[in-house]
Amino acid sequence: MTVHLDIPESIANSLRLPAPEVEARLRSELAVALYAQGILPFGKASELAQVSRHVFADLVTSRNIPRHYTDQELSQDADYVRGL
């Protein structure tokens, strides 16, 4: 399933962001909010934000959002460290 969000032009025009940054920033903000609420796991949140896991980790840390770590994520991170 693919979901498309339509942002009304009046809201898009009210954003205090340069037009080229709007989509990336909205993706990032949505990803952080969903992750912080425990709705989206870390890896999928970084995918939604279209940034690397490292960049997303920095973003989450900068906002003082605690990491939610599942056993599966720990296993994935361990595999990554081992180069698998």
Side-chain angles (χ1 to χ4, degrees), residues 3 10 21 23 25-26 29-32 34 36-38 43-44 51 65-66 68 73-74 84:
V3 176
S10 62
E21 294 177 25
E23 182 179 349
R25 184 66 179 271
L26 290 177
E29 294 299 325
L30 179 59
V32 167
L34 294 175
Q37 294 175 56
K44 291 298 179 182
V51 297
I65 297 169
H68 316 289
E73 288 174 315
L74 177 60
L84 301 175

Side-chain angles (χ1 to χ4, degrees), residues 42-69:
F42 186 86
K44 291 298 179 182
S46 66
E47 188 179 327
L48 174 60
Q50 296 182 336
V51 297
S52 71
R53 292 169 65 94
H54 180 71
V55 169
F56 192 72
D58 288 345
L59 181 58
V60 167
T61 300
S62 73
R63 298 195 183 185
N64 297 316
I65 297 169
R67 284 286 305 259
H68 316 289
Y69 226 54

Side-chain angles (χ1 to χ4, degrees), residues 1-8 23 26-27 30 48 50:
M1 168 176 49
T2 300
V3 176
H4 295 276
L5 295 175
D6 291 320
I7 307 296
E23 182 179 349
L26 290 177
R27 284 180 159 279
L30 179 59
L48 174 60
Q50 296 182 336

